[in-house]
Amino acid sequence: MFSESTGCVFCNVCKLFSTDYDNVFVKSGFYNWKKAKQTIFGHENSKEHIQCMIKWIEFIKQNTHVDEYMVSQIKMEFNYWSAILNRIVAVVRFLAGRGLAFRGHNEVIGSSNSGNYLGMLKLLTQFDPVLKQHIDTFANKGKGNVNYLSKTIFEELIDIMSQKVLTHIISERKKAKYWGIIVDSTPDISHVDQLSVIFCYYLNGHVYERFFCFLQIKIHDCKSLITDILDLLERYDIDITNCRGQAYDNASNMSGKYSRLQARLKERSELAFYIPCAGHSLNLVGQCSVSKCINSINYFGVLQSLYSFFVASTHRWDLLKGNHATLKRLSDTRWSCRSDASKSLGENFDGIHAALCHIAEDIEDKSDTRHGALCLLNKITELEFAFMAVLWHHILNRFNAVTKFLQKVELDLHTASSMLLSLVSQVFYIDFVKNLRNDFTRFENESKKLSSFIEKDYSDKNKRKVIKKLSNTENQVDSLSVSDKFRVNTFFVIIDKLVTQLTIRSDGYNHVNKLFGFLLKLFTIVPWNCKLARKKL
């Protein structure tokens, strides 16, 4: 062994057992490095060294020397801290896997404000003697004491786990070679805008979608987004030319086909086909259709106002329930899920009307509450509102069914494209609503039958007419009845806009489906009676 203090080499067994005190490997140490090889080789084969080695081997077999106790103690310490770490890692994995918060208001074990991490460890002490002994011995000792219970430890463990996951994803992606990317941004609770990055790839008979990381972004323009994405790919040595697909929502800075993110990414990988989010496309269809019609905007505004009015007071909500009625709020993210709100309104119209009448006539209630109830009462009894309720419930019911189908894990591109087109065909041309565009009268009759409180005429009929000079075209429009005006200016606008938007949104899927749709039909295209064909596939 080498002595750092003297810079010489000694023979440890001869130092302990040799009686030849003049031996250089025992007395002063060897440092003649030019002759090191032959001198050390000669010493190891000498009779004195061999006798010392035999004494050393006999000594260590006795199991009574101090080293044995030290090794045993080290093993005990190792096993103890390994057992503690195993329990701590299990708790960290549990909390991180479910996205639960770790910290609390303090880091005092036993405190009700210590957070999930320390709280769960304290809970396990009731069933785990090892962990109980550890916490009783080391808990709340303060800084400078090793206990593996502080936030520094679990933050380091989370970082180690995340790096392990990233390494696994990168390894899988390299084996798969070809990949697709999905990105979307959203602000977190601290108002920091984060871009989530997901990689898709096919490996060993399965398609994987792996969340990769968050990228903090400050600007939403496509130039900054493509720069951040390319920097990420370069950092992890991911070849952009192997990208075969990209999927985003329908935001203009993401989906624009000339200078936006999908176009800039395609400049670097020509085979990176863009596929917009099908569910988001369906939401945009509904939003565009509503935004072009003032009666639709008013309808959904009143629907939300009804819910807000009753939910603002427990007394009003109990009154609503007492009339065997209920209301649902509009969804902020999923437009098609408004079907629940429309369905609830249609099924509970009389109960809602009765509750509003009771509040409007209650002289003990506040004047502004009575006024609000009266305004809502006047709105929901209009024939236009009832017509919108019947029409949109009819449309949204099918939209909601398609939206749920589009969210299935096993959904493929061909089926998604067919489902979007089915809305155009089944809703507007086939038996679901046979020739819907010509069924205005049927919807009008259903609206009048929705409740006995519904007005039988459109509200525009009671408005004071303004006499003015009109052109020939305007005279033709003005000559229409109030019902026909509503049909032309509202009903046709909604139907035509839905058809137009569905057709436009389906084009992106149809293009990719025409290129790759045959892959889903291989079992019908290939002659399966041919053994060679089956073997090759």
Side-chain angles (χ1 to χ4, degrees):
M1 58 184 181
F2 178 76
S3 171
E4 294 184 359
S5 60
T6 61
C8 300
V9 173
F10 292 86
C11 177
N12 59 332
V13 293
C14 293
K15 188 79 171 175
L16 291 172
F17 300 104
S18 178
T19 56
D20 185 6
Y21 300 110
D22 293 330
N23 190 329
V24 66
F25 287 98
V26 176
K27 185 177 181 181
S28 59
F30 177 80
Y31 57 89
N32 187 2
W33 308 117
K34 292 182 179 180
K35 298 181 179 180
K37 184 176 181 180
Q38 59 186 21
T39 305
I40 293 176
F41 182 76
H43 173 75
E44 288 180 341
N45 288 278
S46 64
K47 182 179 179 180
E48 183 69 18
H49 176 76
I50 293 173
Q51 289 178 349
C52 292
M53 283 297 299
I54 294 173
K55 292 180 181 179
W56 168 253
I57 293 172
E58 290 176 350
F59 174 76
I60 61 176
K61 285 182 178 180
Q62 295 176 6
N63 295 327
T64 56
H65 53 88
V66 68
D67 285 358
E68 183 66 24
Y69 292 108
M70 292 179 64
V71 170
S72 175
Q73 187 177 0
I74 290 173
K75 284 184 177 180
M76 290 177 60
E77 289 285 323
F78 177 83
N79 293 334
Y80 175 79
W81 289 107
S82 295
I84 298 300
L85 269 178
N86 283 334
R87 289 157 173 78
I88 290 175
V89 168
V91 171
V92 171
R93 287 182 61 185
F94 177 84
L95 295 175
R98 285 158 179 77
L100 300 176
F102 279 71
R103 298 187 189 181
H105 294 289
N106 58 51
E107 291 189 53
V108 179
I109 294 181
S111 169
S112 59
N113 299 317
S114 59
N116 292 330
Y117 172 66
L118 295 179
M120 186 170 289
L121 289 175
K122 181 64 177 176
L123 174 65
L124 293 176
T125 59
Q126 300 180 24
F127 313 98
D128 191 335
V130 176
L131 193 58
K132 183 179 187 309
Q133 179 188 355
H134 178 77
I135 289 181
D136 291 343
T137 306
F138 296 99
N140 305 326
K141 292 289 186 180
K143 293 183 178 180
N145 295 281
V146 178
N147 54 24
Y148 289 166
L149 302 175
S150 67
K151 65 179 186 300
T152 306
I153 293 299
F154 71 67
E155 286 176 352
E156 184 176 350
L157 289 173
I158 292 172
D159 184 63
I160 293 172
M161 292 177 187
S162 66
Q163 293 301 320
K164 184 69 175 178
V165 172
L166 283 180
T167 303
H168 179 74
I169 294 174
I170 293 172
S171 174
E172 281 190 341
R173 191 210 55 77
K174 286 183 178 180
K175 293 178 182 177
K177 186 175 182 180
Y178 300 111
W179 50 274
I181 188 171
I182 302 173
V183 299
D184 194 14
S185 65
T186 184
D188 61 12
I189 194 172
S190 60
H191 308 291
V192 176
D193 209 351
Q194 297 188 110
L195 187 73
S196 57
V197 181
I198 298 172
F199 286 114
C200 306
Y201 47 86
Y202 177 84
L203 183 66
N204 298 330
H206 297 281
V207 176
Y208 296 98
E209 287 187 6
R210 302 290 198 195
F211 169 76
F212 193 71
C213 68
F214 283 119
L215 290 178
Q216 184 175 339
I217 57 175
K218 297 181 178 179
I219 305 175
H220 278 269
D221 65 291
C222 58
K223 184 178 180 181
S224 300
L225 290 175
I226 191 65
T227 301
D228 292 338
I229 292 174
L230 291 177
D231 289 344
L232 174 70
L233 297 179
E234 184 179 357
R235 189 187 318 152
Y236 290 99
D237 193 25
I238 301 175
D239 189 0
I240 184 64
T241 59
N242 290 329
C243 181
R244 292 296 180 268
Q246 46 180 325
Y248 323 116
D249 59 18
N250 290 267
S252 58
N253 64 327
M254 310 289 278
S255 61
K257 62 181 178 180
Y258 295 110
S259 60
R260 300 307 179 184
L261 179 61
Q262 66 109 346
R264 291 176 180 266
L265 191 62
K266 202 165 186 178
E267 289 176 358
R268 292 162 175 81
S269 179
E270 294 182 356
L271 299 178
F273 289 94
Y274 169 61
I275 302 176
C277 173
H280 193 260
S281 296
L282 200 55
N283 283 346
L284 291 179
V285 170
Q287 289 176 0
C288 291
S289 303
V290 171
S291 64
K292 298 300 180 182
C293 176
I294 188 65
N295 283 307
S296 293
I297 297 173
N298 291 337
Y299 166 69
F300 286 110
V302 173
L303 197 56
Q304 181 62 31
S305 298
L306 280 170
Y307 177 81
S308 301
F309 178 78
F310 282 103
V311 81
S313 168
T314 55
H315 169 68
R316 294 177 218 162
W317 190 260
D318 290 339
L319 187 61
L320 183 67
K321 291 172 64 177
N323 286 277
H324 307 288
T326 187
L327 283 168
K328 299 288 182 67
R329 69 186 298 271
L330 302 184
S331 174
D332 296 327
T333 54
R334 296 180 181 178
W335 188 89
S336 60
C337 290
R338 298 184 178 197
S339 62
D340 293 335
S342 293
K343 180 181 179 181
S344 178
L345 174 69
E347 293 177 348
N348 303 279
F349 197 90
D350 289 337
I352 295 170
H353 182 273
L356 288 174
C357 287
H358 185 278
I359 296 171
E361 296 171 358
D362 188 0
I363 59 175
E364 295 183 357
D365 219 331
K366 295 181 180 178
S367 57
D368 56 343
T369 302
R370 294 175 61 194
H371 176 71
L374 185 61
C375 291
L376 290 172
L377 195 61
N378 293 333
K379 284 290 185 182
I380 68 172
T381 54
E382 293 178 355
L383 182 57
E384 290 92 334
F385 181 85
F387 188 98
M388 289 290 100
V390 174
L391 176 64
W392 279 114
H393 171 60
H394 206 72
I395 295 173
L396 287 173
N397 189 39
R398 176 52 64 100
F399 266 57
N400 193 35
V402 174
T403 299
K404 290 179 179 179
F405 192 86
L406 291 175
Q407 294 171 3
K408 290 185 176 181
V409 176
E410 62 272 15
L411 184 72
D412 57 69
L413 181 63
H414 175 72
T415 307
S417 178
S418 301
M419 289 301 296
L420 289 176
L421 288 175
S422 73
L423 286 173
V424 181
S425 60
Q426 292 179 18
V427 172
F428 300 107
Y429 297 111
I430 299 183
D431 292 336
F432 174 65
V433 181
K434 189 174 182 181
N435 205 358
L436 181 62
R437 205 171 190 275
N438 298 324
D439 266 2
F440 175 79
T441 303
R442 183 172 68 85
F443 279 107
E444 190 176 55
N445 293 333
E446 289 182 11
S447 304
K448 294 177 181 180
K449 295 177 182 178
L450 184 62
S451 174
S452 59
F453 302 102
I454 299 296
E455 296 177 2
K456 303 307 177 184
D457 295 317
Y458 293 95
S459 57
D460 287 345
K461 187 175 181 179
N462 301 322
K463 291 183 179 179
R464 180 173 174 266
K465 294 184 178 180
V466 179
I467 301 174
K468 61 179 180 178
K469 190 175 181 180
L470 302 173
S471 63
N472 293 333
T473 305
E474 290 173 327
N475 280 325
Q476 294 175 3
V477 176
D478 191 61
S479 64
L480 295 174
S481 65
V482 179
S483 177
D484 289 337
K485 284 183 180 179
F486 186 81
R487 175 168 54 88
V488 172
N489 297 329
T490 300
F491 182 69
F492 285 169
V493 170
I494 294 173
I495 302 302
D496 294 341
K497 195 64 180 179
L498 282 170
V499 175
T500 303
Q501 286 295 316
L502 281 169
T503 305
I504 293 173
R505 301 292 176 185
S506 299
D507 288 343
Y509 305 98
N510 293 336
H511 173 65
V512 181
N513 191 38
K514 287 179 181 178
L515 293 174
F516 304 106
F518 73 93
L519 293 172
L520 299 172
K521 302 177 182 179
L522 285 179
F523 291 96
T524 58
I525 295 174
V526 176
W528 290 100
N529 56 349
C530 177
K531 293 183 179 180
L532 182 61
R534 291 201 302 269
K535 185 177 180 181
K536 288 183 177 180
L537 287 176

